[in-house]
Amino acid sequence: MFKGDFAADDVRAYGELVRNLHAVQDALAAMPMDREAIDGLSADLARWRERLEPSVTDEQHQVNGRVAELPVRGHAMLPELDVTSRTADRVEGTVRFGRWFMGGGMAVHGGAVTLLFDEVLGILASVSAGGITRTAYLNTDYRALTPIDTELEAVVWIERVDGRKWFLRGELRHGDVVCAEAEGLFLKLLPEQGLGKRTG
């Protein structure tokens, strides 16, 4: 499924790379207009791109999103969710959105909240289904502003299963306050629609 076979030391090293990238993104999102810094960082990033582009590989061999031992599979696009409890039909964890995910007013961008729900609901659906699932729909209701740089609790669970259809719900909480709720439908893919293949 979404898992590679990586040595423990390689997992540690990649996890550190992703954490450093997240820290850079948070610092970038919080920086003022400083042309000297911007021009220097842009040149540095161009060198990163030149170093990385020759080693681009296909989906089955990429590392991003395939390191099961790391939070959110080591997916660099996502905020880290630390799972605190997991059963066959429920996952609980804590997450902290950094400045990179801010929409405005020191609150998390609504799209980032939905992004987190899509990942966590999808992983629970895929693990429970015993195969890859695809999001059919995902509805998010925003109940209160979601603060950045604050530990939040995420809880997702399976409501029911109907053949290849997995119906799930979730909540994102700050203490007793429900910041957002989500409900979604995930479809278990057929073998010909698996990893590395587009679905029609």
Side-chain angles (χ1 to χ4, degrees), residues 44-124:
D44 289 343
L45 287 173
R47 286 189 289 272
W48 285 20
R49 187 188 70 241
E50 290 166 3
R51 180 175 180 181
L52 289 168
E53 282 179 345
S55 61
V56 169
T57 187
D58 59 24
E59 184 178 6
Q60 287 89 343
H61 296 96
Q62 73 180 41
V63 177
N64 188 50
R66 298 185 68 239
V67 188
E69 299 85 352
L70 295 175
V72 291
R73 300 172 289 119
H75 204 304
M77 179 178 66
L78 300 164
E80 286 191 9
L81 175 83
D82 292 316
V83 174
T84 56
S85 174
R86 182 186 316 224
T87 65
D89 58 0
R90 185 181 178 93
V91 170
E92 299 180 11
T94 59
V95 63
R96 181 183 297 265
F97 290 87
R99 192 77 169 264
W100 179 253
F101 295 103
M102 187 178 78
M106 300 303 283
V108 178
H109 192 291
V113 172
T114 299
L115 176 67
L116 177 71
F117 277 132
D118 194 33
E119 171 68 12
V120 184
L121 291 169
I123 290 297
L124 178 57

